[in-house]
Amino acid sequence: MPELPEVETSRRGIAPYIEGQRIDRVVIRERRLRWPVARDVEDRLEGATIDSVARRAKYLLLNTADGSAIIHLGMSGSVFIVERDTPAALHEHFDLELDSGQALRFRDPRRFGSLHWTNDPMQHWLIRDLGPEPLSEAFDGEYLWRKSRGRKVAVKQFIMNAAIVVGVGNIYASESLFLAGINPKRAAGRISRQRYGQLAAAIKQVLAKAIKAGGTTLRDFYGGDGEPGYFRHELAVYDREDEPCVTCRSPVAAIVQGQRRTYYCKNCQT
DNA sequence: CGCGACTCCTGCCGGC
DNA sequence: TGCCGGCAGGAGTCGC
């Protein structure tokens, strides 16, 4: 799925087409998403004007005067703009039809994504307990170091925990640890303050560069403008098992941590 | 509370 | 060529 850079790319892609638009009609073809789409979502959204499109963690927020739609893309979701009468293909689960004659369309083959309505997104149960945004000033090495004291979990799983920091998914966790030179298996509580400084900086750098490249397209991710992400070409370790490390040329290793694949260089990351 | 395993779902790819 | 197992960008929930 979309990690933070892909969600941000989607946000930027759709914003020009939907900000200031009134939602004329909501068409939901499949309510069985990660959570069933509530029966009142149509009533809440129809007639509302989208004032802005924001992002918190991996959630897209379509803000209106009375509240917000919360869209999550799960593992396989994407949003894009279509002309209103475009026939829906398989797995295109809902449309928000706009004043302009266009529609925001949501596609998600695996249905791990979701659509919610809330009066106050920051107090919504999916959002209220999340950790800081990685690109904010609140997130730094000192913060990571403090939160990690006493924690035995591997640092890779630690930085993928949304209660610690949001937006770092499987790709960017591996990439950030490589850039910081930290072994992903290392216990979070046994990493120095200084190395957490490097890790926080690496996370910021990797995410910022990925956003600039329009995200990473492994299989089927396309931003709101229909373009794939180009960060794939800049991946140092992710999905590069047995290929030479970009630094030392030794083969990139792949292991499993917490049911997720991790890629790293056994030589460069200690 | 922290942590690990499991779960939801479809598509695709590699191996036999 | 066709079938089958395994794996995939997330993350809530449950049990210990």
Side-chain angles (χ1 to χ4, degrees):
Chain A
M1 151 192 174
E3 303 183 30
L4 186 150
E6 292 74 38
V7 178
E8 179 62 18
T9 297
S10 299
R11 188 191 72 75
R12 294 179 185 186
I14 63 175
Y17 298 94
I18 71 174
E19 281 180 348
Q21 291 291 316
R22 194 169 65 97
I23 300 171
D24 283 344
R25 192 160 78 112
V26 177
V27 178
I28 302 180
R29 288 174 287 269
E30 176 57 84
R31 307 192 88 90
R32 296 174 304 163
L33 303 184
R34 173 74 201 269
W35 290 279
V37 179
R39 303 298 323 186
D40 68 348
V41 164
E42 289 95 327
D43 278 351
R44 302 291 193 164
L45 286 174
E46 286 177 359
T49 296
I50 300 170
D51 297 323
S52 61
V53 187
R55 179 189 56 73
R56 171 76 172 105
K58 298 172 189 168
Y59 297 96
L60 285 170
L61 307 176
L62 312 191
N63 297 320
T64 77
D66 299 321
S68 305
I70 305 176
I71 297 173
H72 194 273
L73 302 178
M75 286 278 261
S76 57
S78 55
V79 285
F80 50 97
I81 303 297
V82 295
E83 297 307 312
R84 239 195 218 200
D85 50 9
T86 309
L90 190 64
H91 304 313
E92 295 181 349
H93 302 313
F94 66 81
D95 290 352
L96 307 185
E97 296 184 352
L98 309 167
D99 242 7
S100 60
Q102 296 184 309
L104 178 71
R105 182 164 285 180
F106 173 89
R107 167 190 147 89
D108 183 11
R110 293 177 74 181
R111 289 193 274 124
F112 290 170
S114 60
L115 171 65
H116 286 88
W117 163 267
T118 177
N119 291 112
D120 182 357
M122 293 312 147
Q123 294 310 313
H124 190 268
W125 63 277
L126 284 167
I127 290 177
R128 67 186 173 213
D129 297 323
L130 294 172
E133 287 288 325
L135 296 174
S136 71
E137 288 195 9
F139 177 73
D140 60 15
E142 185 70 20
Y143 167 83
L144 277 181
W145 179 78
R146 186 161 40 78
K147 294 292 270 188
S148 62
R149 292 310 87 188
R151 304 287 291 259
K152 292 181 176 152
V153 70
V155 62
K156 194 243 189 175
Q157 286 151 276
F158 179 70
I159 60 171
M160 287 181 67
N161 180 349
I164 302 300
V165 58
V166 299
V168 182
N170 207 37
I171 298 177
Y172 301 111
S174 283
E175 292 298 309
S176 301
L177 288 161
F178 175 79
L179 188 60
I182 296 171
N183 187 315
K185 293 195 282 190
R186 189 173 281 275
R190 314 193 106 226
I191 292 175
S192 71
R193 202 190 210 119
Q194 191 204 336
R195 297 193 90 193
Y196 270 121
Q198 295 171 325
L199 181 54
I203 289 170
K204 286 173 191 281
Q205 186 184 325
V206 166
L207 294 178
K209 282 180 84 170
I211 290 169
K212 268 196 177 149
T216 299
T217 295
L218 291 177
R219 274 163 280 277
D220 56 3
F221 171 77
Y222 297 92
D225 57 1
E227 285 292 302
Y230 296 103
F231 196 71
R232 176 160 206 184
H233 308 294
E234 298 179 51
L235 295 178
V237 287
Y238 187 86
D239 205 23
R240 294 193 65 241
E241 183 178 12
D242 293 335
E243 290 178 41
C245 168
V246 295
T247 305
C248 75
R249 313 309 289 171
S250 73
V252 169
I255 59 172
V256 174
Q257 294 181 285
Q259 350 286 106
R260 311 296 299 279
R261 204 100 154 123
T262 301
Y263 299 86
Y264 73 112
C265 176
K266 290 180 172 173
N267 186 41
C268 298
Q269 296 174 252
T270 58

